[in-house]
Amino acid sequence: MKKLLAMLLALAMILSQAACGGSGSSAETQSEPTEAPVETEPEVEPEAEPEEEPETEPEAEAAGYTTVEEGKLIMSTNAAFPPYEMVADGEGVYNGFEGIDVEIAVALADKLGLELVIDDMDFDSALVAVQNGKSDMVLAGLTYKEERDKVMDFSTSYATGQQVVIVPDGSDIETMDDLANDKMIGVQRGTTGEMYAADTPENGGYGEDHVLAYDNGALAVQAMLNGQVDAVIIDNGPAQEYVKSNAGLHLLEGDWVLENYCLAVDEGNTGLLEALNSALEEMIADGTVQAIIDKYIAAE
Ligand code: GLN
């Protein structure tokens, strides 16, 4: 019995690791059979190698990666996602920002010997920025999703989240099923909350006609307080913060499956991902990540 439990645990660990870190390679293996056969690749590669790079950036070459701006690590994020990233009242932890992801980024940049630059924008833009070479990584309470993995490469997961439902006190929405009664749901644009809510009822969603997407979670909550939407679906981290800081709101019982938060780099930016991943994995192993999480989220 014990043996079986140990085996199951080991399997679960492998699966959860694969949920983020191993995903890059699984996407590659998926595309190979349908697209070009493997043999064509080696012929193209030697010619495609440009010659100028080693002269211009010797240090980065030695590190096995380059960044958008030499010596800098640009993080695109949406700093309206407490407690992961938010604009601080004062100086904050770093350049007026604070939060779990901000502190992780500070430590990552430090380990890589790079200067952290935090670029604050809407969440959906933060994902585009990394894909367009405007940022080096997106670190934004970003959930691993297979469809995202096709356009970005994901790190090992450093935290988990869940989508939950916030409603005003006195609402006639008492369970998640009540959301199907012709209610309007506010979400943050481009998030998994939007994906789940806007999905078809057959897939457990409520249909896109019942969803209004806002630039960030705070605006979605504001819209609910103004009576423009009946509920907000958002990650549990910010949901707890919004309920704490606004009177008259509460969370519904029940939630969607556990999500893995990862950072992501542009698809194929393997050198940088490896450097970030080994720094992140060190920080997970030595308890740094957990200490940062505990600082912002009271340990249960
Ligand atoms: N975890 C959610 C997602 O990845 C929301 C992230 C966010 O709003 N910053 O879609």
Side-chain angles (χ1 to χ4, degrees):
M1 190 63 187
K2 258 192 182 163
K3 228 177 176 180
L4 181 68
L5 201 67
M7 275 172 64
L8 283 173
L9 271 174
L11 184 69
M13 276 175 73
I14 292 165
L15 286 175
S16 75
Q17 288 227 333
C20 281
S23 49
S25 49
S26 74
E28 277 161 34
T29 46
Q30 271 173 15
S31 59
E32 266 171 18
T34 50
E35 301 281 316
V38 190
E39 298 124 53
T40 56
E41 279 177 34
E43 286 167 34
V44 202
E45 265 178 35
E47 290 166 38
E49 209 77 46
E51 274 165 31
E52 323 115 47
E53 273 184 31
E55 289 161 31
T56 51
E57 286 173 280
E59 287 164 37
E61 278 296 308
Y65 60 85
T66 55
T67 55
V68 173
E69 281 184 50
E70 200 181 343
K72 295 187 177 168
L73 179 67
I74 305 177
M75 155 185 176
S76 52
T77 196
N78 172 240
F81 194 74
Y84 288 86
E85 40 268 323
M86 53 273 191
V87 174
D89 277 341
E91 282 180 14
V93 169
Y94 192 80
N95 286 352
F97 297 102
E98 60 188 6
I100 295 168
D101 290 344
V102 172
E103 298 213 16
I104 289 176
V106 168
L108 284 175
D110 193 48
K111 275 184 182 283
L112 268 56
L114 297 169
E115 181 200 335
L116 178 66
V117 177
I118 297 178
D119 203 354
D120 181 20
M121 58 189 85
D122 292 341
F123 177 72
D124 53 349
S125 308
L127 303 192
V128 174
V130 81
Q131 295 166 50
N132 287 351
K134 297 276 193 303
S135 74
D136 294 301
M137 63 171 183
V138 48
L139 186 47
L142 173 70
T143 301
Y144 173 81
K145 291 294 280 178
E146 221 174 298
E147 50 265 62
R148 289 176 175 166
D149 193 18
K150 293 184 179 129
V151 288
M152 294 181 280
D153 282 346
F154 283 77
S155 73
T156 301
S157 177
Y158 62 90
T160 54
Q162 262 169 313
Q163 299 299 309
V164 296
V165 184
I166 316 176
V167 293
D169 293 349
S171 163
D172 62 351
I173 304 170
E174 287 171 4
T175 68
M176 283 167 64
D177 289 342
D178 294 337
L179 287 171
N181 299 333
D182 222 15
K183 299 296 182 190
M184 284 309 294
I185 302 161
V187 295
Q188 179 177 7
R189 199 175 49 250
T191 60
T192 46
E194 181 181 21
M195 294 177 199
Y196 296 135
D199 212 337
T200 58
E202 299 81 66
N203 288 333
Y206 305 98
E208 51 186 36
D209 293 348
H210 291 97
V211 176
L212 281 179
Y214 295 87
D215 286 349
N216 60 55
L219 289 173
V221 169
Q222 196 51 53
M224 181 169 63
L225 292 167
N226 295 344
Q228 286 149 350
V229 292
D230 303 300
V232 167
I233 295 181
I234 194 163
D235 299 49
N236 58 340
Q240 303 279 358
E241 301 282 331
Y242 291 134
V243 167
K244 238 191 284 165
S245 55
N246 295 282
L249 299 179
H250 67 273
L251 296 182
L252 286 192
E253 298 282 323
D255 39 39
W256 277 279
V257 288
L258 211 62
E259 299 183 342
N260 286 304
Y261 288 171
C262 311
L263 67 80
V265 301
D266 191 17
E267 177 76 13
N269 196 354
T270 316
L272 180 60
L273 182 67
E274 277 172 8
L276 288 168
N277 241 345
S278 56
L280 183 61
E281 281 162 10
E282 268 172 39
M283 288 166 51
I284 293 171
D286 70 12
T288 308
V289 167
Q290 193 55 51
I292 293 173
I293 293 174
D294 290 347
K295 180 176 160 188
Y296 288 90
I297 302 174
E300 269 144 43

